[in-house]
């Protein structure tokens, strides 16, 4: 019998596969678990919602096989494999945390409906960023706007929840103490949902940037940096310092 030893390339591919799989399960899986635990043990609406949270929690381990296989199968397309991890991980994390956000607002039907509508808007942003026939520049501008909105919301939410449990702060002034307290954790969930939305948008946009476009942008950035370096020297020369 002849012993066939696997080639170094095969061993390297297997290591990359398991590293990608374990990294996905640990990084994004940890987030999914942190989001799912409150749904299962702390926020209770009915048995159906709790069962859905448990299924989501367990199915993440099954779904993680898909991006890991893509990473393993398409070694010549490292970006495709990497962004498949980002897309599925962020999407699964979004589902888990938004389930918590919706359930946590069960006693506030108006704000629960508002939360759901904001999720539809996030989904539209994701679809917009992955439509290939829309120019990349246009999608990048929309992504920057999303970043600004996300940062503004984060700052506003921090100010809103400040001292809200004591009946103070912006939320308590605008909505009352009961609503202000109810909005604390759903607001944090909405922020992280927007954060994952922005990452998914970035992945969709970056995949459509051709190598030529990427090289051109790098050249433009290098030219701008050189121009910035030359500008102080020119100003000093014009002022007669030399």
């Amino acid at each position: 019998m002849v012993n066939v030893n696997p080639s170094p390339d095969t061993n390297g591919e297997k290591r990359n596969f398991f590293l990608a799989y374990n990294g996905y399960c640990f990084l994004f899986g940890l987030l999914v678990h942190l989001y799912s635990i409150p749904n299962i043990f702390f926020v209770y609406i009915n048995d159906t919602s709790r069962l859905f949270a448990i299924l989501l929690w367990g199915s993440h381990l099954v779904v993680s096989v898909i991006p890991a296989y893509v990473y393993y199968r398409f070694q010549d397309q490292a970006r495709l494999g990497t962004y498949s991890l980002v897309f599925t991980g962020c999407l699964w994390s979004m589902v888990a945390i938004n389930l918590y956000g919706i359930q946590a607002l069960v006693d506030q039907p108006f704000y629960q409906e508002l939360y759901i509508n904001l999720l539809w808007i996030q989904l539209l942003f994701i679809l917009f960023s992955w439509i290939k026939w829309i120019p990349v520049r246009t999608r990048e501008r929309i992504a920057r706007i999303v970043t600004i909105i996300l940062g503004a919301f984060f700052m506003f939410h921090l100010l809103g929840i400040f001292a809200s449990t004591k009946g103070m702060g912006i939320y308590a002034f605008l909505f009352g103490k009961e609503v202000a307290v109810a909005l604390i954790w759903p607001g944090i969930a909405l922020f992280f949902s927007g954060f994952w939305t922005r990452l998914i948008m970035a992945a969709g946009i970056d995949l459509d940037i051709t190598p030529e476009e990427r090289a051109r942008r790098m050249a433009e950035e290098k030219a701008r940096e050189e121009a910035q370096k030359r500008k102080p020297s020119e100003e000093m020369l014009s002022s007669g310092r030399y």
Side-chain angles (χ1 to χ4, degrees):
M1 179 178 288
V2 179
N3 293 326
V4 179
N5 296 323
S7 65
D9 292 340
T10 303
N11 290 333
E13 289 183 359
K14 288 181 178 180
R15 282 196 297 270
N16 289 336
F17 174 81
F18 287 115
L19 285 173
Y21 181 84
N22 292 331
Y24 178 90
C25 289
F26 178 76
L27 293 177
F28 292 110
L30 179 63
L31 295 171
V32 173
H33 299 335
L34 290 175
Y35 298 155
S36 298
I37 287 171
N39 286 292
I40 298 171
F41 298 107
F42 299 104
V43 181
Y44 179 81
I45 297 179
N46 52 45
D47 291 336
T48 302
S49 64
R50 179 165 290 181
L51 176 62
F52 182 76
I54 294 173
L55 291 176
L56 177 69
W57 193 11
S59 60
H60 174 266
L61 299 175
V62 178
V63 173
S64 62
V65 174
I66 299 172
Y69 175 75
V70 172
Y71 188 88
Y72 169 72
R73 179 66 177 82
F74 299 99
Q75 288 292 319
D76 56 333
Q77 299 186 26
R79 278 202 300 160
L80 176 62
T82 301
Y83 285 132
S84 67
L85 297 173
V86 174
F87 180 81
T88 53
C90 291
L91 189 63
W92 224 243
S93 298
M94 281 182 63
V95 174
I97 196 170
N98 286 323
L99 175 62
Y100 166 77
I102 294 171
Q103 292 182 165
L105 290 171
V106 64
D107 296 327
Q108 304 289 337
F110 172 78
Y111 295 101
Q112 187 183 58
E113 185 68 23
L114 178 62
Y115 188 101
I116 294 172
N117 290 334
L118 291 174
L119 296 185
W120 284 112
I121 295 174
Q122 291 182 30
L123 181 60
L124 291 176
F125 277 130
I126 291 174
L127 294 176
F128 178 85
S129 65
W130 282 73
I131 297 176
K132 294 182 176 297
W133 54 263
I134 299 177
V136 173
R137 294 285 187 179
T138 302
R139 287 183 277 169
E140 286 179 334
R141 293 190 188 99
I142 298 299
R144 292 192 193 100
I145 293 173
V146 172
T147 302
I148 295 171
I149 294 174
L150 192 61
F153 172 76
F154 179 73
M155 297 301 297
F156 178 76
H157 188 65
L158 286 181
L159 293 173
I161 65 177
F162 178 74
S164 59
T165 56
K166 300 178 181 178
M168 302 167 60
I170 298 176
Y171 282 179
F173 175 75
L174 295 175
F175 311 118
K177 180 180 177 181
E178 181 180 352
V179 175
V181 174
L183 292 178
I184 294 176
W185 290 107
I188 295 174
L190 185 63
F191 168 76
F192 277 104
S193 176
F195 179 76
W196 300 134
T197 296
R198 181 62 181 86
L199 285 181
I200 295 175
M201 291 177 67
I205 294 170
D206 192 71
L207 277 174
D208 288 337
I209 299 177
T210 61
E212 294 79 10
E213 175 69 12
R214 194 179 300 278
R216 186 180 65 81
R217 292 187 180 188
M218 292 176 65
E220 290 178 353
E221 181 65 25
K222 185 176 180 180
R224 281 194 295 268
E225 291 178 356
E226 292 177 352
Q228 290 293 331
K229 292 178 181 178
R230 288 197 303 267
K231 188 175 180 180
S233 299
E234 293 173 355
E235 290 177 351
M236 294 177 71
L237 286 171
S238 62
S239 64
R241 295 185 183 181
Y242 286 104

